[in-house]
Amino acid sequence: MVKKTLKQRIVDASVELFQQDGYHNVTVDRIVEYIGASKGGFYHNFKSKDELLYEIHDVFISYVIQQSQDAYDKYDTPITRLCAMLQTLTQVFDMYQAHITIFYEESRSLSDEYSDIIHKKRDHYRDILQKVIAEGQESKVFRTELPCTIVTMAIVGMINWTYKWFKQSGQLTMEQITDVFTDMVLRAIVTEQAMEEAKQFIIKG
Amino acid sequence: MVKKTLKQRIVDASVELFQQDGYHNVTVDRIVEYIGASKGGFYHNFKSKDELLYEIHDVFISYVIQQSQDAYDKYDTPITRLCAMLQTLTQVFDMYQAHITIFYEESRSLSDEYSDIIHKKRDHYRDILQKVIAEGQESKVFRTELPCTIVTMAIVGMINWTYKWFKQSGQLTMEQITDVFTDMVLRAIVTEQAMEEAKQFIIKG
DNA sequence: AGTAAAATACCGACTAGTCGGTTTGTAAAA
DNA sequence: TTTTACAAACCGACTAGTCGGTATTTTACT
């Protein structure tokens, strides 16, 4: 593994550059110059700049979906599933902050063929989380007076937004932030009678 | 008021087009063609395409700051202030969804001179909210075991993310969504002993 | 009020530069 | 010998911004 393929080097460099300056502000020339390669090499590995953007999107969202599904499968109660998913997601966001920045800010630049695929996967990711919330409501573990779609999007928003402000060099680690998020979400949506199970995830005052 | 200035028409059209297709995918030619004007007219009103982008940013963020500050000044307890701010913010986001899309997705395209101004104002907006949280913690109305910076960003994320998914034509109005958000935030951060005051904002089960 | 002058608002053809993508060439591997 | 992997020069479409000019409004003076 000492030798990285040119393709991988292109992807890695692009992720970094796109995050910094945005897809449209980074030229193919700049990417290849950045890694000391040539345009010929670039277009040998990618049909188009657009295909590169798609690959970056797909690597990220496919990983998120798989991790979310794993977290779901690993546990069997709504509360533990939700906590595991929050844990997993923030962890992914910690690792893939550059990818997610591109994912959420450059998806409009994808051409139609790729755009459809990515949007379907993005919806799939949300559906996994929403399923957990809905199942929790069915078993009266989560408050039914809150619409599950809104709860889902509130959680998604809270987590996703971290890509805008989280700094790995900051005061708090992503683990600490996750604990706070988990606490807030559980207190917000768990019913009184189910709060006992959630207690272990709540920060003591 | 029957006659709109060309400048205003340019801004309005650009907001719409930028939201749909992104700043870089909308040419100056397309903007002026869209409103039946000319490039000369455009560059008579704006130094550059970049200045136009800045104006759109500034209109939005200045309004948000002013509304947030008003909400703060109008009330005098952390809970009422927080609720008023949530109310105000979601309302603004309902009206300015196009602006906020541009604000959060195209700010990287701002040149340095404008970028500094906008980032300062964005921080100012966050600080107003964070101040409310911090004051609530000082008076033991909000749980002190949660770091106020994280709580602030969790709330900001929850609200801001609405611009990605909220549809005015959707099932729920922004007012209904606000009620859910308010409920979740209050349950998440208000202390047991202060929950009595918050009760009025909580959705009954 | 009437009018000339000046400033403002706007037009549209043109340009210089940029950037995604192509083509041709070549060295090593299979 | 053919294929793979890359290099480097090149092309053509596109686009931000310019510039000389015209229409319209405002100002200034009689």
Side-chain angles (χ1 to χ4, degrees):
Chain A
M1 228 288 303
V2 72
K3 223 180 167 182
K4 268 192 183 169
T5 62
L6 179 61
K7 184 166 182 172
Q8 195 54 53
R9 280 163 59 220
I10 290 173
V11 170
D12 290 346
S14 302
V15 167
E16 199 179 318
L17 295 173
F18 289 169
Q19 179 191 23
Q20 273 170 34
D21 296 342
Y23 179 70
H24 287 281
N25 300 316
V26 177
T27 64
V28 174
D29 283 318
R30 194 170 144 208
I31 295 168
V32 295
E33 195 223 314
Y34 187 76
I35 57 174
S38 69
K39 274 183 112 164
F42 183 96
Y43 283 98
H44 177 69
N45 287 284
F46 297 97
K47 286 208 324 250
S48 62
K49 191 187 174 191
D50 200 66
E51 192 190 49
L52 164 63
L53 184 61
Y54 166 71
E55 288 220 2
I56 294 172
H57 273 69
D58 197 61
V59 162
F60 167 73
I61 190 64
S62 294
Y63 185 70
V64 167
I65 289 174
Q66 189 224 306
Q67 291 290 308
S68 301
Q69 192 62 53
D70 287 356
Y72 183 93
D73 296 337
K74 197 171 165 191
Y75 294 92
D76 57 1
T77 70
I79 287 179
T80 50
R81 277 175 173 160
L82 178 59
C83 289
M85 286 183 66
L86 289 175
Q87 182 81 39
T88 298
L89 285 173
T90 50
Q91 212 171 299
V92 173
F93 283 22
D94 191 4
M95 284 172 49
Y96 282 85
Q97 188 162 16
H99 284 76
I100 194 179
T101 303
I102 297 165
F103 187 83
Y104 281 116
E105 304 204 348
E106 312 291 355
S107 61
R108 252 184 333 206
S109 301
L110 288 170
S111 55
D112 294 340
E113 45 173 337
Y114 299 128
S115 176
D116 285 349
I117 306 173
I118 294 301
H119 279 88
K120 279 207 185 86
K121 294 201 177 185
R122 193 200 52 191
D123 290 347
H124 184 187
Y125 148 54
R126 191 208 48 217
D127 290 343
I128 296 174
L129 181 58
Q130 187 161 322
K131 192 179 170 195
V132 173
I133 305 293
E135 288 172 351
Q137 289 185 325
E138 277 163 36
S139 57
K140 311 284 181 206
V141 172
F142 297 151
R143 299 164 61 214
T144 51
E145 60 266 32
L146 304 178
C148 98
T149 52
I150 305 300
V151 171
T152 304
M153 292 319 291
I155 295 171
V156 168
M158 200 171 77
I159 295 175
N160 281 359
W161 203 252
T162 53
Y163 88 82
K164 287 270 191 191
W165 57 271
F166 177 67
K167 302 264 177 272
Q168 286 186 327
S169 56
Q171 291 208 336
L172 293 170
T173 64
M174 192 54 109
E175 286 73 39
Q176 294 172 298
I177 293 169
T178 309
D179 290 342
V180 177
F181 282 180
T182 305
D183 172 296
M184 289 179 69
V185 169
L186 292 177
R187 281 182 76 107
I189 69 171
V190 172
T191 56
E192 307 281 348
Q193 64 263 34
M195 198 56 97
E196 200 49 46
E197 186 191 346
K199 274 271 159 54
Q200 55 181 308
F201 301 108
I202 299 272
I203 300 172
K204 283 172 245 319
Chain B
M1 227 286 305
V2 71
K3 225 177 166 184
K4 266 193 185 171
T5 62
L6 177 61
K7 185 166 181 173
Q8 195 54 54
R9 280 162 59 217
I10 290 173
V11 170
D12 290 346
S14 303
V15 166
E16 200 179 317
L17 295 173
F18 288 169
Q19 179 190 23
Q20 273 170 33
D21 296 341
Y23 178 70
H24 287 282
N25 299 316
V26 177
T27 64
V28 174
D29 282 320
R30 192 168 146 213
I31 295 168
V32 296
E33 196 221 314
Y34 187 75
I35 57 174
S38 69
K39 272 192 118 159
F42 182 96
Y43 282 98
H44 177 71
N45 285 284
F46 298 97
K47 286 208 326 246
S48 62
K49 191 186 173 192
D50 199 67
E51 191 189 51
L52 163 63
L53 184 61
Y54 165 71
E55 288 219 6
I56 294 171
H57 273 68
D58 197 61
V59 162
F60 167 72
I61 190 63
S62 294
Y63 185 70
V64 167
I65 289 174
Q66 189 224 308
Q67 291 289 309
S68 302
Q69 192 61 54
D70 286 356
Y72 183 93
D73 295 337
K74 197 171 165 190
Y75 295 92
D76 57 1
T77 72
I79 288 180
T80 50
R81 276 177 174 158
L82 178 59
C83 291
M85 286 183 66
L86 290 175
Q87 182 82 38
T88 298
L89 286 173
T90 49
Q91 211 170 301
V92 172
F93 283 23
D94 191 3
M95 285 173 48
Y96 283 86
Q97 190 163 15
H99 284 77
I100 194 179
T101 303
I102 297 165
F103 188 83
Y104 280 116
E105 303 204 350
E106 311 291 357
S107 62
R108 254 184 331 205
S109 300
L110 288 170
S111 56
D112 294 339
E113 43 172 342
Y114 300 128
S115 175
D116 285 349
I117 306 173
I118 294 300
H119 279 88
K120 282 211 184 86
K121 292 200 179 187
R122 193 201 54 192
D123 290 347
H124 184 189
Y125 148 55
R126 190 207 50 217
D127 289 344
I128 295 175
L129 181 57
Q130 187 161 324
K131 192 180 169 193
V132 173
I133 305 294
E135 286 172 352
Q137 289 186 324
E138 277 164 36
S139 56
K140 311 284 182 207
V141 173
F142 298 150
R143 297 165 63 214
T144 51
E145 60 267 31
L146 304 178
C148 97
T149 52
I150 305 300
V151 170
T152 304
M153 293 319 291
I155 296 172
V156 168
M158 199 172 78
I159 296 176
N160 281 359
W161 203 252
T162 53
Y163 90 82
K164 288 269 190 192
W165 56 272
F166 176 68
K167 302 263 178 273
Q168 285 187 327
S169 56
Q171 292 208 335
L172 293 170
T173 63
M174 191 52 107
E175 285 74 37
Q176 293 173 300
I177 294 169
T178 308
D179 290 342
V180 176
F181 281 0
T182 304
D183 172 296
M184 291 178 69
V185 169
L186 291 178
R187 281 181 77 107
I189 69 171
V190 173
T191 56
E192 308 280 350
Q193 63 262 37
M195 198 54 99
E196 199 50 47
E197 187 192 344
K199 274 271 159 54
Q200 54 180 310
F201 301 109
I202 300 271
I203 299 171
K204 282 171 247 318

